[in-house]
Amino acid sequence: MTQWLPRRIDQRLLCVRLWLALAALCQVIPGGVIAFFPSFALLHRMYRNWTAAADIAYRIAKRRPVFVESSTSSGDVLEFYSARIKTARSTGALMLSIVGGRLSEGINFSNNLGRAVVMVGVPFPNIASTELAERLAYYEGIGGAQSATGGVIGSMGPRAK
């Protein structure tokens, strides 16, 4: 969610619909379900709204426990999540994590650990980032010498010419 999202849709309605979709997935998918969010801020905002809606929280929690990655958490969340799924007669678990976070990079969610993966939003890069500006300038410089369209970026994306 960015600054312009409140003008387009009601954020509470978006949260409710997300949690209803996750509740429906958790009812039919065995094993682990992982939901990735683009930022900790969005994850925590959505989680607060979810816990405020007790009926929706109950739908998910009665079926499986929910594990939430935090900016300060270590590998404990993954250990508890894995242990819950590997338990005999387990109904599975739901893990909420961040794209690019500790639990999304380099971990193999094989078999029951990741029966379903849900991407909530798209983690767009920060347009004001100096690193992104330098990277775009570099690629445009390389492509500018090779192409008449103005570089690798050419006429694609938000920097369309």
Side-chain angles (χ1 to χ4, degrees), residues 15-20 23 49-50 53-61:
C15 290
V16 167
R17 288 186 177 170
L18 167 69
W19 295 118
L20 287 173
N49 286 337
W50 174 62
D55 59 327
I56 300 172
Y58 177 73
R59 286 185 197 183
I60 295 175

Side-chain angles (χ1 to χ4, degrees), residues 11-40:
Q11 288 187 19
R12 287 197 187 272
L13 180 61
L14 178 68
C15 290
V16 167
R17 288 186 177 170
L18 167 69
W19 295 118
L20 287 173
L22 284 173
L25 286 172
C26 288
Q27 287 178 353
V28 297
I29 296 174
V33 176
I34 306 163
F36 288 107
F37 293 79
S39 68
F40 282 111

Side-chain angles (χ1 to χ4, degrees), residues 4 22 79 89 98 110 116 123 125 141:
W4 50 267
L22 284 173
E79 289 177 28
R89 295 187 177 166
I98 303 301
S110 61

Side-chain angles (χ1 to χ4, degrees), residues 36-38 42 99 119-124:
F36 288 107
F37 293 79
L42 179 61
V99 172
M119 293 295 298
V120 179
V122 178
F124 289 112

